[in-house]
Amino acid sequence: QVDLVDYGGGSVQAGGSLRLSCVASGNTGGIYWMGWFRQVPGKERDSVAVINVSGPDTGGGQTTIADSVKGRFSISRDNAKKAVHLEMNALKPEDTAKYYCAAARTYVEWVRGRADWGQGTQVTVSS
C-alpha cells in the first residue's frame, strides 16, 4: 500500500495556471509510474499525465500526456522527495475536474487504472 497526498488545486480564471503536487510514502519500492487522473461527476476517471519515476535523477523520465492537455500541462518528478508535480497552464473551463494523484507498478496497470490513489484535489476553471 502506497499513501499519496495530493494538493494544489483551486479556482482560477480561464488562461490561468495551477501547480499540483503529490508526495508518496509507505511501500513505494515497487512503484514505477506516478501521475494524475481527473474525473468529473458522472464520467470515468481519465489519465491526464504520467511519468516514470525509476532512476536517481529529478530530470528526465518517460512521460505520457493526454492529447487534451498536451502543450499546456507538464509533469515532473523529484525522486528524492518521492514527489511528482503537474504544471497546468492556459487552463480552460473544460479542465474543471477533481484531480487524483495515482501510483502504479507498471504502465499497463496505469492504463487500466489499477493504481493507488490520493484523496483528490479540486480544480475549477471559470470562463
Side-chain angles (χ1 to χ4, degrees), residues 51-63 75-85:
I51 187 167
N52 188 297
V53 295
S54 62
D57 300 326
T58 57
Q62 181 183 349
T63 64
I75 188 168
S76 61
R77 63 182 186 174
D78 184 341
N79 287 355
K81 297 181 179 179
K82 298 182 181 180
V84 295
H85 308 284

Side-chain angles (χ1 to χ4, degrees), residues 39-115:
Q39 188 174 28
V40 297
K43 293 192 176 181
E44 292 186 353
R45 201 172 287 190
D46 294 323
S47 177
V48 176
V50 62
I51 187 167
N52 188 297
V53 295
S54 62
D57 300 326
T58 57
Q62 181 183 349
T63 64
T64 300
I65 310 291
D67 288 342
S68 59
V69 303
K70 200 167 290 184
R72 301 187 294 121
F73 291 15
S74 62
I75 188 168
S76 61
R77 63 182 186 174
D78 184 341
N79 287 355
K81 297 181 179 179
K82 298 182 181 180
V84 295
H85 308 284
L86 184 68
E87 298 283 350
M88 304 188 295
N89 299 311
L91 283 161
K92 303 176 180 180
E94 52 263 44
D95 295 318
T96 295
K98 193 161 188 179
Y99 286 68
Y100 294 88
C101 179
R105 286 151 184 80
T106 69
Y107 188 72
V108 170
E109 288 189 348
W110 178 272
V111 171
R112 293 176 177 174
R114 293 172 59 183

Side-chain angles (χ1 to χ4, degrees), residues 12-55:
V12 296
Q13 290 190 327
S17 299
L18 284 172
R19 185 181 194 235
L20 305 185
S21 295
C22 175
V23 179
S25 62
N27 187 20
T28 61
I31 295 299
Y32 292 97
W33 298 90
M34 286 183 63
W36 302 87
F37 282 73
R38 69 185 182 186
Q39 188 174 28
V40 297
K43 293 192 176 181
E44 292 186 353
R45 201 172 287 190
D46 294 323
S47 177
V48 176
V50 62
I51 187 167
N52 188 297
V53 295
S54 62

